[in-house]
Amino acid sequence: MNILSDIPDNRITNAMTIDLEDYFHAAALSSVITPNDWGNKYPVRVEACTHRILQLLDNNDVKATFFVLGWVAQACPKLIELIAAEGHEIASHGFAHLHVNQHSQAKFYADLARSKHTIESLINKPIYGYRAPSFSIDHSTPWAFEVLQKLGFTYSSSTYPIKHDLYGVPDWPRFKYQRPEGIIEVPIPTLTKFGRNIPIGGGGYFRFYPYRLSHYLIRSFHQQTGQPYSFYFHPWEIDPAQPHVNDISLKSQFRHYLNLSRMEQRLNRLLIDFKWDTMKTVYQLHRLEHNAKPLYTEISPKRTPTMG
């Protein structure tokens, strides 16, 4: 008997998020694919995948938050305009998929400013949210929140309070909170079991866990915390036909290619089984926007040309 069967799945509205990047941006492939290869040696596939995602969201009457990589916005400007026109929230994923904890504060500022300007120039309105690639804000980068504040962001979803070989800070807060810099941080959700945080936020874990287990974990999270749940995935995760990169470790191959052919069907079930909306709506972030500012006057368009 399912001990959670008496809890309605639609009691809490959750946040659906997409990290808008292509397969060649993924950390698992970065040991082989360099930025010079992006869109050259490895063709762009994010546009077709995202159109399928938009159709999936529309079929289920769901609005989502797209954390857009500036590189993708520059390469596929019409796609970003379409996402915004369909009523989804646009946020930033940085420009060149820089891991924050591997770069200086100055380089992070330049990358994020370029991303913000590129995206805002396409949709003609400010963006307020940010997600660090590979959840790479940690104890070594507290200055990242200062940069976000200076550039007019109001919230971030860049931390994952788990122990992982590539990312994660297990002792950081698990739920939405306000940083001293004024930025609201919304961590990726975890479920506490046996004194440790279990990752349940989506991505590779959603592809690894059987769907029934993921469903159970989300409902357990609701029962345990009473908090909204947020889910993330990438367009390349519904693209089993993407080029296969062989010269990577077995661990990286497992992480990147596991169950790609099952992901789209699982996503459809997830959209049906729970209620979803944008980060801004679910976490009531609208009230922060009057304190923020767009970036139109902070960076020269000559330094950040857009394509299209």
Side-chain angles (χ1 to χ4, degrees):
M1 178 179 177
N2 185 348
I3 63 171
L4 300 177
S5 61
D6 59 335
I7 300 174
D9 291 335
N10 62 355
R11 184 183 64 174
I12 296 176
T13 300
N14 309 284
M16 176 59 60
T17 74
I18 297 94
D19 292 355
L20 195 65
E21 61 187 61
D22 219 325
Y23 65 97
F24 46 69
H25 296 120
L29 308 184
S30 62
S31 63
V32 173
I33 300 176
T34 69
N36 289 333
D37 296 327
W38 298 352
N40 295 313
K41 182 177 178 181
Y42 295 92
V44 172
R45 296 178 64 86
V46 67
E47 197 157 13
C49 295
T50 305
H51 279 288
R52 285 162 53 196
I53 291 168
L54 289 171
Q55 187 61 60
L56 196 63
L57 295 172
D58 185 61
N59 290 347
N60 289 283
D61 195 26
V62 169
K63 299 302 180 188
T65 296
F66 286 76
F67 289 97
V68 177
L69 197 67
W71 189 96
V72 172
Q74 183 170 275
C76 309
K78 297 299 183 185
L79 178 63
I80 310 309
E81 293 171 2
L82 175 63
I83 294 170
E86 294 197 358
H88 301 288
E89 180 189 7
I90 304 289
S92 172
H93 198 38
F95 191 90
H97 211 257
L98 299 184
H99 290 192
V100 182
N101 55 11
Q102 296 177 10
H103 296 279
S104 68
Q105 182 173 351
K107 189 164 186 178
F108 174 59
Y109 183 102
D111 178 87
L112 187 55
R114 186 180 184 188
S115 163
K116 194 170 194 287
H117 175 80
T118 301
I119 295 168
E120 289 180 344
S121 296
L122 290 173
I123 65 174
N124 294 314
K125 62 181 181 180
I127 58 174
Y128 299 101
Y130 170 73
R131 174 170 288 157
S134 296
F135 313 111
S136 51
I137 292 180
D138 57 26
H139 286 305
S140 70
T141 58
W143 44 258
F145 294 103
E146 297 175 14
V147 171
L148 288 167
Q149 192 277 331
K150 288 178 181 178
L151 289 175
F153 289 89
T154 61
Y155 80 88
S156 161
S157 181
S158 300
T159 57
Y160 209 157
I162 62 168
K163 185 176 177 59
H164 189 279
D165 60 333
L166 297 179
Y167 54 78
V169 188
D171 60 341
W172 274 27
R174 292 177 58 216
F175 309 116
K176 169 188 167 184
Y177 70 104
Q178 186 166 24
R179 294 277 311 177
E181 303 84 357
I183 299 295
I184 296 294
E185 174 65 21
V186 184
I188 305 301
T190 56
L191 189 67
T192 300
K193 292 284 188 182
F194 310 112
R196 61 182 297 177
N197 295 337
I198 299 172
I200 62 168
Y205 294 106
F206 185 71
R207 288 184 283 118
F208 176 69
Y209 300 152
Y211 179 78
R212 287 177 62 86
L213 176 58
S214 291
H215 189 282
Y216 172 80
L217 292 173
I218 296 170
R219 297 184 77 182
S220 297
F221 176 84
H222 287 155
Q223 184 185 64
Q224 184 184 93
T225 70
Q227 297 282 328
Y229 166 85
S230 66
F231 180 84
Y232 78 92
F233 72 101
H234 311 84
W236 55 262
E237 291 185 275
I238 65 165
D239 185 17
Q242 65 188 263
H244 198 286
V245 179
N246 295 311
D247 298 330
I248 56 176
S249 69
L250 291 177
K251 180 189 287 187
S252 293
Q253 288 199 42
F254 177 79
R255 284 175 170 169
H256 188 80
Y257 296 110
L258 177 69
N259 287 333
L260 296 183
S261 62
R262 299 180 179 180
M263 184 66 169
E264 191 166 359
Q265 182 181 17
R266 290 183 180 182
L267 281 172
N268 190 58
R269 291 184 64 184
L270 190 70
L271 292 169
I272 293 170
D273 288 348
F274 297 91
K275 288 178 63 177
W276 303 97
D277 211 320
T278 65
M279 290 284 289
K280 185 165 64 173
T281 298
V282 169
Y283 292 101
Q284 301 177 8
L285 300 167
H286 303 78
R287 60 184 176 81
L288 302 171
E289 295 180 1
H290 71 279
N291 295 322
K293 57 184 180 297
L295 191 57
Y296 299 128
T297 60
E298 296 211 12
I299 187 167
S300 169
K302 293 181 180 179
R303 291 174 56 195
T304 56
T306 56
M307 297 172 60

